[in-house]
């Protein structure tokens, strides 16, 4: 338990974030409207028709399909040809990239003062003595 609080695996954090995004999308539910269900397209193409190349599918599939940056969903041959990097390897690469290249947006003017005021109010409320 002590070790858990003192060490951190950045790749694990990146993987957890990826999984959390996918769960968030899954529990967000499915829109059930005539447009989302492609009712008009089904009438036009027919129940046994081919929908993959239809314009409606093209405009909607990325919005409803779970996307991932780290999980490779390609066919095995393509994955092998591209180096066969697994979820963990991809996560380490992304974590290293973030640590080396991420530049956070600066906080808006006055944010530090607002934070300080909130902290001082909490310290006063909970009786925290300043050293």
């Amino acid at each position: 338990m002590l070790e858990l609080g003192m060490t951190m695996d950045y790749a694990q954090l990146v993987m957890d974030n990826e999984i959390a995004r996918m769960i968030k999308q899954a529990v967000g539910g499915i829109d059930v409207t005539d447009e989302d269900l492609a009712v008009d397209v089904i009438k036009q193409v027919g129940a046994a028709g081919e929908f993959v190349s239809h314009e409606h599918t093209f405009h909607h599939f990325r919005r409803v399909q779970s996307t991932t940056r780290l999980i490779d969903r390609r066919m095995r041959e393509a994955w092998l040809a591209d180096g066969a990097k697994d979820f963990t390897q991809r996560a380490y690469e992304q974590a290293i990239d973030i640590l080396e290249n991420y530049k956070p947006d600066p906080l808006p003017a006055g944010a530090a003062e607002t934070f300080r005021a909130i902290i001082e109010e909490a310290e006063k409320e909970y009786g925290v003595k300043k050293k």
Side-chain angles (χ1 to χ4, degrees), residues 38-54:
V39 172
D40 290 342
V41 177
I42 293 170
K43 288 177 184 174
Q44 176 189 358
V45 175
E50 186 271 313
F51 297 90
V52 174
S53 63
H54 197 279

Side-chain angles (χ1 to χ4, degrees), residues 33-127:
T33 65
D34 285 355
E35 172 65 16
D36 289 310
L37 295 177
V39 172
D40 290 342
V41 177
I42 293 170
K43 288 177 184 174
Q44 176 189 358
V45 175
E50 186 271 313
F51 297 90
V52 174
S53 63
H54 197 279
E55 186 175 333
H56 181 278
T57 303
F58 178 74
H59 289 298
H60 288 80
F61 84 98
R62 289 194 196 276
R63 183 175 59 85
V64 297
Q65 181 178 351
S66 170
T67 57
T68 175
R69 296 180 195 108
L70 299 175
I71 298 170
D72 195 331
R73 293 181 173 158
R74 296 176 298 164
M75 299 299 289
R76 184 170 182 80
E77 294 76 23
W79 175 71
L80 288 169
D82 198 26
K85 293 179 185 175
D86 64 17
F87 188 30
T88 304
Q89 289 170 307
R90 289 170 178 266
Y92 273 108
E93 288 175 0
Q94 185 173 357
I96 290 167
D97 182 64
I98 291 168
L99 290 168
E100 290 177 350
N101 300 309
Y102 180 74
K103 302 282 188 261
D105 294 332
L107 293 173
E113 292 79 10
T114 302
F115 291 146
R116 174 55 38 212
I118 292 168
I119 292 167
E120 287 175 0
E121 183 179 327
E123 288 174 342
K124 187 176 180 180
E125 181 178 341
Y126 294 106

